Amino acid sequence: MIDPDMVDLIHERHELLYTSSSIAALPIEILSLVFHEVQRTRRATGKPMIPHVEITLSHVCSHWRAVMLSLPSMWCVFQHSYVSWYGPVRPTGERLTAYLERSGEHPFDLWIDFKTEESLYNRRLLPLLTIAIPHLHRFRVLHLLSDATHPLKEFVEQLASASAPLLETCAICPDYSHTSLTSLIANKADIFRSGVPSLKYLRMDETSMFGFLPPLDSVVHLRIETRRTVPSWIPNTAFDAILSLPNLETLSLAIELFELQAFPSRGSVPKEPIRANKLKHFRSAYVLITIYTLSHVVAPSLESITMNGVDLAGLDDRPSIPNHVAFPSLRIVAFIRAKGGSHGARHGPNLQKLMAGTRNVEELLFWGKTGIEKDTENTHCVLLGTDRAPSPWENIRKATLNIPFSSPTEILLYHQFIAAKPNLEVLRVPPRCLELPSFLQGVPPHIDLRAIDESEPPLPLCWVPGPDWLDTEEDPFLSYCQVFE
């Protein structure tokens, strides 16, 4: 046990060191700016950093502590992700209580990852929600990731009647097991039934739609992603309702969840086109979802598509998109790496139809070859065009090509692409390409040649951890964007 007198001496020494330093003379306003900048820098990675900088700063000396406690904005973001070195849960609850008190009535951001790698069946982390729920009226962010060890279902009733007028960013991913679809009614809210008028961003997993669905009318950015639980099939009438949301600008689907018309025994075909008038960005990791959307959705404002393909291989009755696909605003197309297997072809008649109806595309991102042999080369042939069938995508000005480059045949694919795109101005390639004379010799001097790096995002739309984005789970689409070396 530490002698209390020794503790007093340590505190006195800290006070003397501070009062004798040049920073002691700084006005409180300047000191506050320094504190906020240090905090932002500390959160640069978006990952939990221990010790938390606001706690460290508040324990330097009595003056700094007084300044810190006078700044509600230094305490308005709470992040927790369970790891073995995080310490016992009780101090975490005490920390959350302190943050809620010290932040006053300032809008509050709560980022909690309940997932554990240990068998905590007594659910020691769930009391954090009990502490937080009375303050939901001032939450700006409510970001909850959970698993079967920490089921959130017991909080549905409290969330159903909760008021969250300031809530802008919400992720409730319970990832619990379910056995039926009886609870699913499209657009029927289970939580925040009194409304969330400020809600703009919503992330759900494959089980959120079964008991944790908030009102969707105000949602601008919607992500639905597989995490761990094997999903149940949801009728595609629910998907149609999502596509028809009045304010939806971004839809990201890293999940094969809906019963679609490619299998007649399951889904139904819409009788009328689905109007998605505000949709600007669409991401799909599954070919069937992409085909369904391109076939039945009218999206005059669509600017970018991220997909792993638009053609199916290995099926006798391959679904086909209409001959006249029209997305007049489409400017960016990104191909992510397809999953292995026989249903991942990127080239084929559907791709040709899409290209023919989207002649204004100016940027192409092509991430790697697929699990199908020669698929990269065949897709390039479609993208490049031939003398008999020129490529409709002649106006591409910027491209990211991430394909192998270990042989003359592979390097030739790069050179053929460059030659076929007369308007190409910027080309991003794997960094090692820039070290190969055989590659550089085929690049005209007017092209701005760049290495693929972190200075630019790998996709038209993605979520990357940072000081303002503290999600502890990686955007699943980024896993398809590994640079060849």
Side-chain angles (χ1 to χ4, degrees):
M1 184 175 180
I2 301 178
D3 188 336
D5 292 336
M6 181 61 70
V7 173
D8 291 339
L9 287 173
I10 293 174
H11 287 166
E12 289 179 11
R13 177 174 173 79
H14 284 170
E15 294 290 335
L16 288 172
L17 287 173
Y18 168 74
T19 54
S20 62
S21 67
S22 57
I23 199 173
L26 286 178
I28 291 178
E29 294 78 9
I30 301 298
L31 197 58
S32 301
L33 292 174
V34 172
F35 287 167
H36 281 98
E37 185 59 31
V38 171
Q39 186 182 59
R40 184 172 179 81
T41 302
R42 184 72 169 173
R43 292 178 183 153
T45 65
K47 305 299 182 183
M49 302 294 287
I50 307 298
H52 299 278
V53 65
E54 54 271 11
I55 294 177
T56 300
L57 292 173
S58 68
H59 285 77
V60 171
C61 65
S62 59
H63 178 59
W64 279 25
R65 183 171 182 81
V67 173
M68 285 293 297
L69 295 180
S70 71
L71 299 172
S73 56
M74 289 293 295
W75 305 95
C76 66
V77 177
F78 182 91
Q79 183 185 30
H80 175 83
S81 177
Y82 183 84
V83 286
S84 58
W85 42 264
Y86 218 70
V89 174
R90 181 181 174 187
T92 302
E94 293 175 354
R95 184 167 69 90
L96 176 57
T97 300
Y99 278 49
L100 289 167
E101 178 182 346
R102 294 172 184 177
S103 59
E105 287 302 311
H106 200 284
F108 198 83
D109 297 355
L110 184 71
W111 304 79
I112 296 183
D113 187 343
F114 287 116
K115 302 187 310 297
T116 71
E117 296 180 358
E118 300 181 12
S119 299
L120 299 180
Y121 293 109
N122 54 350
R123 298 177 293 172
R124 291 181 293 166
L125 293 176
L126 289 181
L128 295 178
L129 278 185
T130 304
I131 296 171
I133 283 177
H135 300 267
L136 281 174
H137 65 281
R138 62 184 179 97
F139 274 26
R140 189 183 67 91
V141 174
L142 178 63
H143 201 278
L144 305 177
L145 308 180
S146 192
D147 57 18
T149 303
H150 291 87
L152 302 178
K153 198 167 182 63
E154 62 190 74
F155 290 94
V156 170
E157 186 174 342
Q158 297 178 65
L159 292 175
S161 58
S163 175
L166 302 183
L167 190 63
E168 298 176 5
T169 298
C170 181
I172 299 184
C173 301
D175 200 28
Y176 68 90
S177 299
H178 58 275
T179 56
S180 71
L181 303 178
T182 56
S183 63
L184 178 64
I185 301 176
N187 280 352
K188 181 179 182 298
D190 303 298
I191 60 175
F192 303 127
R193 290 176 180 168
S194 60
V196 274
S198 301
L199 185 61
K200 297 296 183 290
Y201 168 95
L202 177 64
R203 177 183 166 196
M204 302 189 292
D205 67 14
E206 65 278 11
T207 63
S208 302
M209 300 181 74
F210 301 86
F212 286 89
L213 196 65
L216 302 178
D217 285 349
S218 65
V219 172
V220 175
H221 310 290
L222 177 60
R223 294 169 61 182
I224 309 177
E225 298 166 357
T226 303
R227 295 173 66 235
R228 277 159 298 279
T229 299
V230 177
S232 296
W233 290 103
I234 295 177
N236 51 313
T237 51
F239 183 43
D240 299 347
I242 288 173
L243 287 165
S244 303
L245 291 174
N247 293 297
L248 190 67
E249 296 182 8
T250 299
L251 179 59
S252 176
L253 299 163
I255 187 170
E256 192 169 10
L257 183 60
F258 300 95
E259 300 179 1
L260 301 177
Q261 90 289 359
F263 301 97
S265 62
R266 289 181 175 170
S268 60
V269 178
K271 295 180 180 180
E272 299 289 338
I274 303 168
R275 299 204 63 86
N277 291 329
K278 292 188 178 182
L279 186 65
K280 294 182 179 180
H281 306 286
F282 176 69
R283 305 196 312 177
S284 169
Y286 290 91
V287 176
L288 277 176
I289 294 237
T290 305
I291 293 174
Y292 182 89
T293 303
L294 295 178
S295 299
H296 301 293
V297 174
V298 175
S301 302
L302 189 66
E303 298 174 3
S304 76
I305 295 178
T306 298
M307 59 185 176
N308 65 348
V310 69
D311 286 279
L312 284 172
L315 294 178
D316 295 332
D317 184 19
R318 302 177 187 179
S320 176
I321 66 174
N323 290 326
H324 302 288
V325 177
F327 296 102
S329 298
L330 187 64
R331 295 295 184 271
I332 307 174
V333 176
F335 290 94
I336 56 176
R337 288 195 195 187
K339 295 185 176 181
S342 60
H343 302 302
R346 303 187 201 178
H347 65 283
N350 283 344
L351 176 57
Q352 293 173 333
K353 294 176 184 178
L354 175 63
M355 294 172 65
T358 56
R359 296 177 178 271
N360 294 324
V361 170
E362 298 178 347
E363 182 174 355
L364 176 69
L365 299 95
F366 193 89
W367 286 96
K369 60 181 181 180
T370 70
I372 303 173
E373 188 175 359
K374 294 186 178 180
D375 185 53
T376 301
E377 297 179 21
N378 293 332
T379 305
H380 261 261
C381 290
V382 177
L383 295 174
L384 296 173
T386 64
D387 292 338
R388 290 182 299 175
S391 170
W393 286 352
E394 297 178 345
N395 296 320
I396 290 178
R397 290 176 167 77
K398 183 176 181 180
T400 297
L401 293 185
N402 179 58
I403 57 178
F405 48 86
S406 58
S407 70
T409 301
E410 292 172 340
I411 291 178
L412 181 61
L413 292 176
Y414 285 95
H415 293 164
Q416 289 175 337
F417 180 86
I418 293 171
K421 304 302 175 188
N423 296 310
L424 188 64
E425 299 172 358
V426 178
L427 178 63
R428 295 199 302 162
V429 297
R432 283 194 56 204
C433 275
L434 303 182
E435 302 173 5
L436 301 176
S438 58
F439 169 77
L440 296 174
Q441 290 170 2
V443 181
H446 72 273
I447 290 181
D448 181 2
L449 196 59
R450 303 175 185 175
I452 298 173
D453 57 28
E454 296 181 355
S455 63
E456 294 187 59
L459 295 171
L461 179 72
C462 54
W463 285 267
V464 180
D468 300 314
W469 195 255
L470 307 183
D471 191 347
T472 51
E473 289 186 348
E474 182 183 59
D475 182 341
F477 280 81
L478 295 179
S479 65
Y480 299 106
C481 302
Q482 302 302 312
V483 180
F484 280 104
E485 297 181 352

